Amino acid sequence: MDPSEVEFLAERELVKVIPNFTHDKIYLISGDVGPFSAGLPLPVPLWLAVNLKQRQKCRFVAPDWMDIDVLKEKKQEEADSRFFTPMPSPHYMEITQLLLQWGTDDIPKADEIRTLVKDIWDLRIAKLRSSIDVFVKSGESHAKLNYLTLMEINTVRLFLTKALNHMHQLKSVTSRDTTNSNSQAF
Amino acid sequence: MSTEDVGDDLLETVDDEEEEEAMTAPEVLHKLEEAWLNEKFSPDLLPVKSNLVECMLDQIVAMENNISTLKKGDFRISVHRMEIDRIRYVISSYLRHRLAKIESLTTHVLQEEEKRRDSENVLMSPAELEFAKGYCNSVMTHLTNTALDHMPLKAATPNAKEIAVLPNLDSYVFLKVNENTENVLVEEETVDAREEIMDFEKGDQHIMRYKPIASLVESGGVSLI
């Protein structure tokens, strides 16, 4: 999957914005949004938030977890744990990326937040790589991936699935299973 | 059958219909997005979700009519347009993935469709079926004209079963569990390994081969991610 498609999915998440205009409820197909009243924060889908920001119609409100202390704690927890820890948002990376890209001024201490989120990402990706190594070497046929976010899965998707497909094929050939001979490799 | 039974049956059918009608537009959209991802990642063609696609297309048409009644420069126009574009993207990507699979697995999907003809759960929409048949014919005509006609008679009679490209059902997929499911057979018993059985808990994510969970994808017990 293209990373932009993961971002597309992340854009459905709700974030809070403070509009600078007043408007009745908007009846979207994906659900109602609003009513907007100038100065009052309300949740909107991320794609709409970015669009409003681009038209200078709102300010972003940082999500609760987008906070130096919370993220530092999270980073420590991630570093201490052998396993993946649950993230505050299933799309934390994309949301951070989009909010900081378009509204650096609205998010307090944007630079530090960017660094912390990147640190957490790096920790998790390093963990992911080493667990893939263990998984592949173990020759197991399945693995549980709880708390991995879609963007993280997506970074290893092609490599991992292809490698496992090949390994499975080799294994089934050695066990004289010929049913695969005319199947198509994707 | 007693009268009571008849009454129960009626009630149930009414319930079913109501359930379908009661699905709100956001729910339909969510289902469609799920179907899109399933189709994107599954190696095999999944049963078509015509009702979801049509429902969303109707919503788009209705929304476009609404937009045309708005005054020029209305703030809502661009918001609605943007949403429509997002939904259109999902629908067209969904249909494109299906067409790509129909093209690469033509004979296989036609055979599968044949098996399912009498069941309610059809594999392809009428338009897709027509496309698959047309595509199959064109490829065969092309092969006949360019190669088979110039071969000895014995080699020139291809067998549909032999030339069918089959999906690699053993390919690995990522999945997320929607409903608790117990005793999923992950690995069949082989000469050098015992069979493996697992319980799926709601919210779990796994990577494994597609084949053991194919039926769960169809029933909605798991979604591919």
Side-chain angles (χ1 to χ4, degrees), chain B residues 33-44:
Chain B
E33 285 166 339
E34 212 174 271
W36 168 52
L37 291 179
N38 281 346
E39 197 66 68
K40 201 175 168 68
F41 296 126
S42 104
D44 201 0

mmCIF file with all atom_site columns, all heavy atoms in Angstrom, chain B residues 33-44:
data_model
loop_
_atom_site.group_PDB
_atom_site.id
_atom_site.type_symbol
_atom_site.label_atom_id
_atom_site.label_alt_id
_atom_site.label_comp_id
_atom_site.label_asym_id
_atom_site.label_entity_id
_atom_site.label_seq_id
_atom_site.pdbx_PDB_ins_code
_atom_site.Cartn_x
_atom_site.Cartn_y
_atom_site.Cartn_z
_atom_site.occupancy
_atom_site.B_iso_or_equiv
_atom_site.pdbx_formal_charge
_atom_site.auth_seq_id
_atom_site.auth_comp_id
_atom_site.auth_asym_id
_atom_site.auth_atom_id
_atom_site.pdbx_PDB_model_num
ATOM 1   N N   . GLU B 1 33 ? -15.144 0.902   2.979  1.00 0.00 ? 33 GLU B N   1
ATOM 2   C CA  . GLU B 1 33 ? -13.702 1.084   3.157  1.00 0.00 ? 33 GLU B CA  1
ATOM 3   C C   . GLU B 1 33 ? -13.054 -0.222  3.600  1.00 0.00 ? 33 GLU B C   1
ATOM 4   O O   . GLU B 1 33 ? -11.957 -0.569  3.170  1.00 0.00 ? 33 GLU B O   1
ATOM 5   C CB  . GLU B 1 33 ? -13.436 2.199   4.173  1.00 0.00 ? 33 GLU B CB  1
ATOM 6   C CG  . GLU B 1 33 ? -13.693 3.577   3.600  1.00 0.00 ? 33 GLU B CG  1
ATOM 7   C CD  . GLU B 1 33 ? -13.765 4.660   4.658  1.00 0.00 ? 33 GLU B CD  1
ATOM 8   O OE1 . GLU B 1 33 ? -14.007 4.344   5.835  1.00 0.00 ? 33 GLU B OE1 1
ATOM 9   O OE2 . GLU B 1 33 ? -13.591 5.828   4.319  1.00 0.00 ? 33 GLU B OE2 1
ATOM 10  N N   . GLU B 1 34 ? -13.790 -0.953  4.443  1.00 0.00 ? 34 GLU B N   1
ATOM 11  C CA  . GLU B 1 34 ? -13.285 -2.244  4.889  1.00 0.00 ? 34 GLU B CA  1
ATOM 12  C C   . GLU B 1 34 ? -13.194 -3.204  3.699  1.00 0.00 ? 34 GLU B C   1
ATOM 13  O O   . GLU B 1 34 ? -12.195 -3.896  3.519  1.00 0.00 ? 34 GLU B O   1
ATOM 14  C CB  . GLU B 1 34 ? -14.257 -2.796  5.930  1.00 0.00 ? 34 GLU B CB  1
ATOM 15  C CG  . GLU B 1 34 ? -13.621 -3.645  6.988  1.00 0.00 ? 34 GLU B CG  1
ATOM 16  C CD  . GLU B 1 34 ? -14.635 -4.012  8.050  1.00 0.00 ? 34 GLU B CD  1
ATOM 17  O OE1 . GLU B 1 34 ? -14.772 -3.239  9.006  1.00 0.00 ? 34 GLU B OE1 1
ATOM 18  O OE2 . GLU B 1 34 ? -15.311 -5.038  7.890  1.00 0.00 ? 34 GLU B OE2 1
ATOM 19  N N   . ALA B 1 35 ? -14.249 -3.203  2.872  1.00 0.00 ? 35 ALA B N   1
ATOM 20  C CA  . ALA B 1 35 ? -14.271 -4.080  1.701  1.00 0.00 ? 35 ALA B CA  1
ATOM 21  C C   . ALA B 1 35 ? -13.129 -3.722  0.751  1.00 0.00 ? 35 ALA B C   1
ATOM 22  O O   . ALA B 1 35 ? -12.501 -4.594  0.140  1.00 0.00 ? 35 ALA B O   1
ATOM 23  C CB  . ALA B 1 35 ? -15.610 -3.954  0.975  1.00 0.00 ? 35 ALA B CB  1
ATOM 24  N N   . TRP B 1 36 ? -12.857 -2.440  0.641  1.00 0.00 ? 36 TRP B N   1
ATOM 25  C CA  . TRP B 1 36 ? -11.775 -1.955  -0.233 1.00 0.00 ? 36 TRP B CA  1
ATOM 26  C C   . TRP B 1 36 ? -10.436 -2.527  0.216  1.00 0.00 ? 36 TRP B C   1
ATOM 27  O O   . TRP B 1 36 ? -9.670  -3.075  -0.583 1.00 0.00 ? 36 TRP B O   1
ATOM 28  C CB  . TRP B 1 36 ? -11.781 -0.422  -0.189 1.00 0.00 ? 36 TRP B CB  1
ATOM 29  C CG  . TRP B 1 36 ? -10.591 0.249   -0.791 1.00 0.00 ? 36 TRP B CG  1
ATOM 30  C CD1 . TRP B 1 36 ? -10.074 0.038   -2.038 1.00 0.00 ? 36 TRP B CD1 1
ATOM 31  C CD2 . TRP B 1 36 ? -9.783  1.265   -0.173 1.00 0.00 ? 36 TRP B CD2 1
ATOM 32  N NE1 . TRP B 1 36 ? -8.985  0.864   -2.224 1.00 0.00 ? 36 TRP B NE1 1
ATOM 33  C CE2 . TRP B 1 36 ? -8.792  1.619   -1.107 1.00 0.00 ? 36 TRP B CE2 1
ATOM 34  C CE3 . TRP B 1 36 ? -9.814  1.920   1.064  1.00 0.00 ? 36 TRP B CE3 1
ATOM 35  C CZ2 . TRP B 1 36 ? -7.827  2.592   -0.840 1.00 0.00 ? 36 TRP B CZ2 1
ATOM 36  C CZ3 . TRP B 1 36 ? -8.862  2.891   1.316  1.00 0.00 ? 36 TRP B CZ3 1
ATOM 37  C CH2 . TRP B 1 36 ? -7.885  3.217   0.384  1.00 0.00 ? 36 TRP B CH2 1
ATOM 38  N N   . LEU B 1 37 ? -10.158 -2.423  1.511  1.00 0.00 ? 37 LEU B N   1
ATOM 39  C CA  . LEU B 1 37 ? -8.879  -2.926  2.030  1.00 0.00 ? 37 LEU B CA  1
ATOM 40  C C   . LEU B 1 37 ? -8.801  -4.443  1.909  1.00 0.00 ? 37 LEU B C   1
ATOM 41  O O   . LEU B 1 37 ? -7.762  -4.995  1.542  1.00 0.00 ? 37 LEU B O   1
ATOM 42  C CB  . LEU B 1 37 ? -8.692  -2.494  3.487  1.00 0.00 ? 37 LEU B CB  1
ATOM 43  C CG  . LEU B 1 37 ? -8.472  -0.995  3.674  1.00 0.00 ? 37 LEU B CG  1
ATOM 44  C CD1 . LEU B 1 37 ? -8.328  -0.658  5.144  1.00 0.00 ? 37 LEU B CD1 1
ATOM 45  C CD2 . LEU B 1 37 ? -7.255  -0.521  2.904  1.00 0.00 ? 37 LEU B CD2 1
ATOM 46  N N   . ASN B 1 38 ? -9.914  -5.127  2.198  1.00 0.00 ? 38 ASN B N   1
ATOM 47  C CA  . ASN B 1 38 ? -9.923  -6.587  2.057  1.00 0.00 ? 38 ASN B CA  1
ATOM 48  C C   . ASN B 1 38 ? -9.578  -6.973  0.624  1.00 0.00 ? 38 ASN B C   1
ATOM 49  O O   . ASN B 1 38 ? -8.774  -7.861  0.380  1.00 0.00 ? 38 ASN B O   1
ATOM 50  C CB  . ASN B 1 38 ? -11.293 -7.160  2.412  1.00 0.00 ? 38 ASN B CB  1
ATOM 51  C CG  . ASN B 1 38 ? -11.494 -7.252  3.915  1.00 0.00 ? 38 ASN B CG  1
ATOM 52  O OD1 . ASN B 1 38 ? -10.539 -7.143  4.675  1.00 0.00 ? 38 ASN B OD1 1
ATOM 53  N ND2 . ASN B 1 38 ? -12.720 -7.430  4.333  1.00 0.00 ? 38 ASN B ND2 1
ATOM 54  N N   . GLU B 1 39 ? -10.227 -6.274  -0.323 1.00 0.00 ? 39 GLU B N   1
ATOM 55  C CA  . GLU B 1 39 ? -10.018 -6.604  -1.728 1.00 0.00 ? 39 GLU B CA  1
ATOM 56  C C   . GLU B 1 39 ? -8.575  -6.310  -2.116 1.00 0.00 ? 39 GLU B C   1
ATOM 57  O O   . GLU B 1 39 ? -7.949  -7.055  -2.865 1.00 0.00 ? 39 GLU B O   1
ATOM 58  C CB  . GLU B 1 39 ? -10.971 -5.761  -2.585 1.00 0.00 ? 39 GLU B CB  1
ATOM 59  C CG  . GLU B 1 39 ? -11.157 -6.262  -3.988 1.00 0.00 ? 39 GLU B CG  1
ATOM 60  C CD  . GLU B 1 39 ? -11.861 -7.610  -4.031 1.00 0.00 ? 39 GLU B CD  1
ATOM 61  O OE1 . GLU B 1 39 ? -13.041 -7.664  -3.685 1.00 0.00 ? 39 GLU B OE1 1
ATOM 62  O OE2 . GLU B 1 39 ? -11.223 -8.601  -4.413 1.00 0.00 ? 39 GLU B OE2 1
ATOM 63  N N   . LYS B 1 40 ? -8.042  -5.228  -1.574 1.00 0.00 ? 40 LYS B N   1
ATOM 64  C CA  . LYS B 1 40 ? -6.692  -4.800  -1.895 1.00 0.00 ? 40 LYS B CA  1
ATOM 65  C C   . LYS B 1 40 ? -5.661  -5.845  -1.479 1.00 0.00 ? 40 LYS B C   1
ATOM 66  O O   . LYS B 1 40 ? -4.685  -6.078  -2.169 1.00 0.00 ? 40 LYS B O   1
ATOM 67  C CB  . LYS B 1 40 ? -6.456  -3.503  -1.126 1.00 0.00 ? 40 LYS B CB  1
ATOM 68  C CG  . LYS B 1 40 ? -5.365  -2.610  -1.629 1.00 0.00 ? 40 LYS B CG  1
ATOM 69  C CD  . LYS B 1 40 ? -5.414  -1.333  -0.789 1.00 0.00 ? 40 LYS B CD  1
ATOM 70  C CE  . LYS B 1 40 ? -4.199  -0.484  -0.985 1.00 0.00 ? 40 LYS B CE  1
ATOM 71  N NZ  . LYS B 1 40 ? -4.127  0.097   -2.307 1.00 0.00 ? 40 LYS B NZ  1
ATOM 72  N N   . PHE B 1 41 ? -5.886  -6.462  -0.334 1.00 0.00 ? 41 PHE B N   1
ATOM 73  C CA  . PHE B 1 41 ? -4.857  -7.338  0.212  1.00 0.00 ? 41 PHE B CA  1
ATOM 74  C C   . PHE B 1 41 ? -5.112  -8.820  0.010  1.00 0.00 ? 41 PHE B C   1
ATOM 75  O O   . PHE B 1 41 ? -4.203  -9.620  0.202  1.00 0.00 ? 41 PHE B O   1
ATOM 76  C CB  . PHE B 1 41 ? -4.673  -7.055  1.707  1.00 0.00 ? 41 PHE B CB  1
ATOM 77  C CG  . PHE B 1 41 ? -4.175  -5.667  1.971  1.00 0.00 ? 41 PHE B CG  1
ATOM 78  C CD1 . PHE B 1 41 ? -4.846  -4.815  2.821  1.00 0.00 ? 41 PHE B CD1 1
ATOM 79  C CD2 . PHE B 1 41 ? -3.037  -5.223  1.329  1.00 0.00 ? 41 PHE B CD2 1
ATOM 80  C CE1 . PHE B 1 41 ? -4.377  -3.527  3.039  1.00 0.00 ? 41 PHE B CE1 1
ATOM 81  C CE2 . PHE B 1 41 ? -2.557  -3.938  1.546  1.00 0.00 ? 41 PHE B CE2 1
ATOM 82  C CZ  . PHE B 1 41 ? -3.231  -3.091  2.405  1.00 0.00 ? 41 PHE B CZ  1
ATOM 83  N N   . SER B 1 42 ? -6.336  -9.212  -0.331 1.00 0.00 ? 42 SER B N   1
ATOM 84  C CA  . SER B 1 42 ? -6.559  -10.642 -0.467 1.00 0.00 ? 42 SER B CA  1
ATOM 85  C C   . SER B 1 42 ? -6.067  -11.107 -1.835 1.00 0.00 ? 42 SER B C   1
ATOM 86  O O   . SER B 1 42 ? -6.208  -10.400 -2.827 1.00 0.00 ? 42 SER B O   1
ATOM 87  C CB  . SER B 1 42 ? -8.043  -10.967 -0.297 1.00 0.00 ? 42 SER B CB  1
ATOM 88  O OG  . SER B 1 42 ? -8.610  -11.229 -1.542 1.00 0.00 ? 42 SER B OG  1
ATOM 89  N N   . PRO B 1 43 ? -5.437  -12.262 -1.893 1.00 0.00 ? 43 PRO B N   1
ATOM 90  C CA  . PRO B 1 43 ? -4.925  -12.760 -3.169 1.00 0.00 ? 43 PRO B CA  1
ATOM 91  C C   . PRO B 1 43 ? -6.048  -13.220 -4.102 1.00 0.00 ? 43 PRO B C   1
ATOM 92  O O   . PRO B 1 43 ? -5.856  -13.286 -5.306 1.00 0.00 ? 43 PRO B O   1
ATOM 93  C CB  . PRO B 1 43 ? -4.046  -13.938 -2.770 1.00 0.00 ? 43 PRO B CB  1
ATOM 94  C CG  . PRO B 1 43 ? -4.501  -14.344 -1.414 1.00 0.00 ? 43 PRO B CG  1
ATOM 95  C CD  . PRO B 1 43 ? -5.084  -13.141 -0.767 1.00 0.00 ? 43 PRO B CD  1
ATOM 96  N N   . ASP B 1 44 ? -7.219  -13.546 -3.536 1.00 0.00 ? 44 ASP B N   1
ATOM 97  C CA  . ASP B 1 44 ? -8.316  -14.080 -4.347 1.00 0.00 ? 44 ASP B CA  1
ATOM 98  C C   . ASP B 1 44 ? -9.386  -12.998 -4.502 1.00 0.00 ? 44 ASP B C   1
ATOM 99  O O   . ASP B 1 44 ? -9.428  -12.049 -3.729 1.00 0.00 ? 44 ASP B O   1
ATOM 100 C CB  . ASP B 1 44 ? -8.904  -15.299 -3.631 1.00 0.00 ? 44 ASP B CB  1
ATOM 101 C CG  . ASP B 1 44 ? -9.666  -16.188 -4.583 1.00 0.00 ? 44 ASP B CG  1
ATOM 102 O OD1 . ASP B 1 44 ? -9.731  -15.842 -5.773 1.00 0.00 ? 44 ASP B OD1 1
ATOM 103 O OD2 . ASP B 1 44 ? -10.190 -17.220 -4.130 1.00 0.00 ? 44 ASP B OD2 1
#
